[in-house]
Amino acid sequence: MSDTQEKNIENTGTAKHKQMDMLNGPMLKNILIFALPLALCGILQQLFTSADMAVVFWFDGSVAQSAVNSNGALVNLLINLFSGMSVGVTVLIAAYVGKKQTDDLHSVVFTSLVIATVSGVILLGLGIGVSAPLLKAMNTPKDALPLATKYLRIYFIGMPFLMVYNFGAAVLRGVGDTKKALIILLVTGVLNVGLNVLFVAAFKMSVAGVALATVICNIASAALVMVFIMKDGLFKIRKSSRVKKDYILSIVKIGMPAGLQGVVFSVANVLIQSAVNGFGAQAVAGNGDAVNFEMYVYFFINGFAQATVTFFGQNYAAGKFDRCKQVFKINMLCSLVISGVLSALFVPLAKVFIRIYTNDGVAIKFAVMRMWCVLSGSLLSCLYEIPGGALRGMGHSMLPAVFTVIGSCVLRIIWIYTVFAAHKVFWLLIIIYPISWLVTGLAMIISYYIICVKAGFYARNQQSETIETEDVILENSDIDIAV
C-alpha cells in the first residue's frame, strides 16, 4: 500500500470518527456520559472478583474464599505501577485532541501498546516468582497459603493481556469514549461467571478454576479492545506507526507518578492486610467481602475523577479556564452525592448484603464492622480523587502522588505501628482509612486552588486572552507535547 493510499484511509477513518466535544456546550450531560460507563466498567471488574468470592465460598468454603481475598492487596501492589502509567496515555491523547493535533495519534497508540505488553511480561515474571514469599511475609493464614499461592501464580499468567486492555481503554478515554470498555466488560463479565461455575462447581478446580477463568477473560478483553482500536480512524495502527521516544517520555512523565502513588498506596494496604491476616481466616474472608461494597462506591468516585482528568486536560490545553472550574465543581458534586447515597444504602443493611458472599457468623461480624467503620466514610475519598484528577489534567502528576504517599501511606503505616500496635482490635486498625482520606483530601484541595490561582484561573478577561493563555500553558505545563 502506498503512502497516499494509507493517508486516504486515515482521512476516511478520521472523518467517520465521532468524538465527544469537551470544549463546547453544556458539560453535565457529557460528564455523565463519560463517567457513568467508566464507573460501571469498574463495578463489572469488581463483580468478577465478587463472583470469584461467592462461587468459591458456596462450593469450597471459607478457607478457599480467604485464599482469594488475601491476594487483593498484593495483586494491586504488583500491578499498580504499570496500570498507573495508563493515566499518562489518557492525558497525552486528551492534550492532543484539545489542541486538535490528531495526525499522529496512531503512533501514540502503538507506543502505548508496546509499553503495555512489556509491562505485562515483567508482571508475569514478578507474579510467578515472588508470590509465595510475599504471601508468607504477609502472614497469610497457613490453611489458606497453598491455595492463595496457586491462585496468584495462575492469575498472573493473564497480566500481559490485562495491561493491553488497561492501556487500550486509556486510549479510548482520551477522546471521551468509555462505552466501548463497558461493552467489553459486559461480555467478559458474563463469560467470567459462566467459567467460574464451570471450573469450580462442575470441574471441582477450586481457586485454580477461579484464577483460570480470570485469565481467559483478560485475554478476551485484550482482544476486544484491540478490535475497537483497529476500527478507529484516529487510532488504527499502520505501517507508518512507530514507537517514539518523545511519546514514551511523555507517558512515563505523567503516568509514573500516578503509578508510584498506586504502589505506595498498596504498600500500606498490604501492611493492613497483613494485620487483618493475624485475626484468622474468617476475618480475612469477612474483611474481603466488605471491601466489595467499598469498591462499588469507589468506582463511581473514580469514574468522575477520570472524567476530571480528561475534561480538565482538554480544556486546560485549549486555555478554557472557566470550563476547567466547571469541570471540577460538577465532578466533585456528582461524586459526593452518588457515593453518599450508596453508602447510606449499603451500611444500614450490611448484614443483608454480606450474606450474598457468606453465611459464616464470624466472617459476617468482621464484614459488618468494616462496613460501618470504612464504607460509611467513603465519600471522603472524593476530596482527594477529584482535585488529584484536575492536577493531572494540568500535567502536575507528582504533587498528588506526593500527598497520597504522605496521607494514605506514611500516615497509615505510622498508625499501624503506634495506635494499632498498642491496642490490637480490628475496628481500630481499619478506622485509619477514613482518617487518611480526610487528611489527604484537605491537602489536595488546598494545593489545587493554589495552583489554579498561579495558573491564572481567576484572572480577569480570561476569555479574551484564550490564545495568549494557551501559549503560556504549553510553555509551563508539565505535559510535553511531542510533535
Side-chain angles (χ1 to χ4, degrees), residues 153-409:
R153 285 175 172 168
I154 297 174
Y155 179 92
F156 270 89
I157 293 173
M159 277 302 104
F161 304 99
L162 179 61
M163 288 297 104
V164 168
Y165 167 77
N166 284 343
F167 277 70
V171 166
L172 298 174
R173 284 198 299 272
V175 292
D177 188 345
T178 55
K179 293 180 181 179
K180 290 186 176 65
L182 179 59
I183 293 170
I184 292 170
L185 289 173
L186 282 169
V187 172
T188 55
V190 173
L191 176 63
N192 183 72
V193 173
L195 291 175
N196 276 338
V197 174
L198 177 66
F199 293 154
V200 179
F203 295 166
K204 308 297 181 184
M205 294 175 65
S206 187
V207 299
V210 168
L212 181 59
T214 302
V215 171
I216 293 172
C217 289
N218 285 340
I219 294 171
S221 297
L224 289 171
V225 82
M226 286 303 301
V227 168
F228 283 128
I229 286 174
M230 293 303 292
K231 285 185 175 182
D232 194 301
L234 283 176
F235 302 139
K236 184 177 181 179
I237 297 170
R238 306 176 179 87
K239 290 181 179 179
S240 59
S241 301
R242 296 289 184 270
V243 174
K244 296 188 177 181
K245 180 181 177 181
D246 288 339
Y247 296 154
I248 295 175
L249 292 176
S250 294
I251 291 169
V252 172
K253 185 175 182 180
I254 301 166
M256 183 64 75
L260 290 173
Q261 172 184 319
V263 169
V264 297
F265 190 89
S266 296
V267 167
N269 287 341
V270 165
L271 293 175
I272 292 175
Q273 182 64 54
S274 300
V276 171
N277 291 345
F279 289 95
Q282 290 167 303
V284 174
N287 182 74
D289 292 341
V291 168
N292 282 290
F293 298 98
E294 295 168 28
M295 297 306 295
Y296 298 144
V297 174
Y298 170 75
F299 282 124
F300 279 100
I301 298 172
N302 183 63
F304 288 105
Q306 292 295 328
T308 306
V309 172
T310 307
F311 279 76
F312 214 100
Q314 286 200 20
N315 283 282
Y316 185 72
K320 298 188 175 185
F321 290 171
D322 282 340
R323 289 181 66 84
C324 288
K325 290 186 287 185
Q326 291 177 40
V327 168
F328 180 86
K329 291 176 182 177
I330 291 172
N331 282 292
M332 178 63 82
L333 181 61
C334 288
S335 60
L336 284 170
V337 170
I338 294 178
S339 61
V341 169
L342 289 176
S343 297
L345 171 66
F346 290 141
V347 174
L349 299 174
K351 288 185 179 180
V352 176
F353 285 110
I354 286 298
R355 289 188 180 275
I356 296 172
Y357 300 102
T358 182
N359 61 3
D360 186 299
V362 176
I364 290 174
K365 177 182 176 182
F366 280 99
V368 170
M369 191 182 303
R370 171 147 187 154
M371 290 178 74
W372 276 100
C373 290
V374 181
L375 183 56
S376 59
S378 60
L379 80 169
L380 292 173
S381 60
C382 302
L383 301 181
Y384 75 85
E385 287 285 353
I386 304 304
L391 290 170
R392 291 189 186 95
M394 288 188 279
H396 295 279
S397 289
M398 186 57 69
L399 191 60
V402 170
F403 281 129
T404 302
V405 168
I406 296 172
S408 296
C409 182

Side-chain angles (χ1 to χ4, degrees), residues 75-145:
V75 167
N76 290 333
L77 173 64
L78 293 175
I79 72 173
N80 273 347
L81 175 62
F82 298 106
S83 294
M85 283 200 294
S86 67
V87 174
V89 177
T90 299
V91 173
L92 185 61
I93 289 177
Y96 271 111
V97 173
K99 286 191 60 62
K100 304 186 184 304
Q101 297 176 354
T102 59
D103 291 344
D104 201 36
L105 282 183
H106 58 94
S107 286
V108 177
V109 173
F110 184 66
T111 303
S112 303
L113 293 175
V114 170
I115 294 173
T117 304
V118 172
S119 301
V121 172
I122 293 172
L123 285 170
L124 171 60
L126 282 175
I128 293 176
V130 305
S131 55
L134 285 179
L135 286 169
K136 289 179 182 177
M138 289 175 62
N139 196 30
T140 302
K142 291 183 179 179
D143 50 353
L145 182 59

